[in-house]
Amino acid sequence: MKVTHISVATTGGAGIAAYRLHCALLKYTDVDSNFVQQYNLAKENLGAKVYTVPPVSSFVHKIKCHFEITPEHLNWKNTQRYPGDYEIITYPRTSYRIENLDIFKDTDIVHLHWVADFINYPSFFKKIKKPILWTLHDMNPFMGLFHYEGDRIRNEATLGKLDHKIFEQKIRYIDRNKDINIVCPSDWLKNKSQASLILGRYPHYTSIPHGIDLSKYPDLDRLMVKEKLGLNNGLKTILFVAHDITVYRKGIGLLIDAINQLDTSKFNLVSVGGGKIQLNSKINYIHFPKIHDISVLNTIYSAADLTVIPSREDVITNVMPESFANGTPVLSFSNGGMVEHIKTGENGILVEEISVKSLIDNLKDFLDNNYSFNNEDIRKYALDHFSEKLHAEKYKQLYEDILNKRK
């Protein structure tokens, strides 16, 4: 069975999850897994089965570039014409025609991941005649311009008409392929997709959480790694991990406001990724820039006593299973896919209300020793729910189910 994954890249939350699945399928199953990406942004050798699509360079495309009438130019002009407050907006029309690649001729299943601004919806869904499995990583496949509901709501006044136009286009373009199958990493996203006008008509399968290679997250001596990082001062260590601290949806502002109002004599703060946060100077604060070495990241998770995910809106993050793999509990607002895995008092803390006050109250409870977590039990939860082997086996079975449906 040959499966070809399509993703913008192997980096970023969605790209990492997609590439991990590709690797797990090759490692644990007999699936002939292949990976097509738009950009090669990785810092490692991705192997022979990863193909990076070259930039469009045809004569016609060069002429369109000269007159600034490529889909990308027109999309950019639309974006400039209608400014707004959003994380990202993307369009269904691009210059790429990856459906013409030879790799798809003998592919049994085309597996889409995060493909925004990569595949050209009108031609792709019309030409691909193979079964399509689409793993959703956010809401964009069943929305218009936006990737999350919060952005759509905040920009209704300025971008509402354009958003509706793109929404209608997606309905028409995607409907050109009748064999589309949907799977999500969380039931929360699955329910949203099933209720949508764009994807609600297609079959949705049992949710499959993202998998991780747990061998890369070994159980470390927590006291030793605390000493190594200079965190062996008897205080509890709070960890925050984010690629971009400027993204409103990630809730960094909420966390900063909460942290600045806590008793600084009770905790250390560690952040990873993005820029350094401006905090009360009395806080023992260590910042690590973006980390590509998993062993280093694993050390930081192991040194933490609590990982905080303050997202206002999220599907499910890679941070949660990574933290669990190290036996570190996770605090999150009660939203998205986190609700399906975090059990307050067992492997983390769910905060019901999205507010600074609620965040402060729950962090105080943690710092005042109102919770007692068992690191071994938390790691076992990760082993039982997020192992890459289990992830690969579930996807192989899903591929077989989709192909058998055609017989």
Side-chain angles (χ1 to χ4, degrees), residues 301-333:
Y301 276 122
S302 298
D305 297 291
L306 181 71
T307 300
V308 178
I309 303 174
S311 300
R312 301 170 187 270
E313 188 179 16
D314 223 328
V315 175
I316 193 169
T317 70
N318 289 327
V319 171
M320 183 186 67
E322 289 171 355
S323 184
F324 284 168
N326 290 276
T328 303
V330 174
L331 181 149
S332 166
F333 289 119

Side-chain angles (χ1 to χ4, degrees), residues 2-40:
K2 181 177 180 179
V3 173
T4 300
H5 304 269
I6 304 176
S7 176
V8 167
T10 61
T11 55
I16 290 170
Y19 182 64
R20 282 174 174 172
L21 172 59
H22 164 67
C23 293
L25 288 167
L26 292 174
K27 184 176 179 180
Y28 293 106
T29 74
D30 57 356
V31 173
D32 179 11
S33 183
N34 301 268
F35 200 101
V36 174
Q37 64 175 352
Q38 183 179 15
Y39 303 114
N40 185 8

Side-chain angles (χ1 to χ4, degrees), residues 86-337:
Y86 49 79
E87 180 180 345
I88 183 175
I89 60 174
T90 52
Y91 296 82
R93 299 183 70 96
T94 76
S95 296
Y96 286 93
R97 297 296 183 269
I98 66 169
E99 62 273 9
N100 295 325
L101 296 175
D102 288 341
I103 194 170
F104 295 112
K105 291 180 180 179
D106 60 347
T107 289
D108 295 300
I109 290 182
V110 176
H111 192 157
L112 300 182
H113 293 275
W114 205 93
V115 294
D117 280 346
F118 184 20
I119 67 169
N120 180 60
Y121 280 51
S123 59
F124 182 87
F125 289 107
K126 182 178 181 180
K127 182 156 186 179
I128 292 293
K129 302 303 181 184
K130 305 295 178 68
I132 293 175
L133 175 62
W134 203 340
T135 294
L136 308 189
H137 295 271
D138 59 24
M139 303 182 194
N140 181 254
F142 56 82
M143 294 180 69
L145 288 166
F146 301 103
H147 287 244
Y148 285 93
E149 288 179 336
D151 281 351
R152 181 185 61 78
I153 293 169
R154 281 199 310 280
N155 294 275
E156 181 65 33
T158 54
L159 285 163
K161 288 184 179 180
L162 179 60
D163 181 51
H164 181 72
K165 177 183 176 181
I166 299 302
F167 182 87
E168 294 292 331
Q169 288 179 358
K170 281 187 173 180
I171 291 178
R172 295 198 308 273
Y173 297 153
I174 293 175
D175 193 49
R176 293 174 178 177
N177 188 302
K178 305 300 182 184
D179 197 353
I180 297 176
N181 306 270
I182 309 297
V183 66
C184 300
S186 72
D187 288 338
W188 175 80
L189 186 60
K190 176 185 175 183
N191 293 336
K192 294 279 187 183
S193 179
Q194 283 182 310
S196 72
L197 290 176
I198 293 181
L199 296 183
R201 73 192 78 179
Y202 302 108
H204 287 63
Y205 293 84
T206 302
S207 301
I208 304 177
H210 299 320
I212 60 175
D213 183 354
L214 290 159
S215 68
K216 294 182 178 179
Y217 297 86
D219 194 11
L220 301 178
D221 185 317
R222 303 179 81 84
L223 294 177
M224 186 179 296
V225 294
K226 280 178 180 289
E227 182 176 357
K228 180 179 179 181
L229 297 177
L231 298 168
N232 58 329
N233 53 8
L235 304 181
K236 291 191 175 181
T237 296
I238 297 172
L239 171 64
F240 170 71
V241 181
H243 174 66
D244 186 350
I245 65 172
T246 66
V247 176
Y248 174 82
R249 178 177 59 84
K250 291 296 185 179
I252 318 305
L254 296 170
L255 179 63
I256 292 173
D257 288 346
I259 289 291
N260 280 330
Q261 296 180 57
L262 295 175
D263 184 347
T264 60
S265 68
K266 290 187 174 182
F267 69 96
N268 308 303
L269 180 69
V270 176
S271 64
V272 176
K276 191 171 185 178
I277 304 170
Q278 297 302 313
L279 293 168
N280 183 334
S281 60
K282 294 181 181 179
I283 297 173
N284 183 32
Y285 173 40
I286 300 174
H287 174 71
F288 294 89
K290 190 174 182 181
I291 295 173
H292 297 285
D293 188 335
I294 292 179
S295 65
V296 175
L297 186 59
N298 183 52
T299 299
I300 297 170
Y301 276 122
S302 298
D305 297 291
L306 181 71
T307 300
V308 178
I309 303 174
S311 300
R312 301 170 187 270
E313 188 179 16
D314 223 328
V315 175
I316 193 169
T317 70
N318 289 327
V319 171
M320 183 186 67
E322 289 171 355
S323 184
F324 284 168
N326 290 276
T328 303
V330 174
L331 181 149
S332 166
F333 289 119
S334 185
N335 60 19

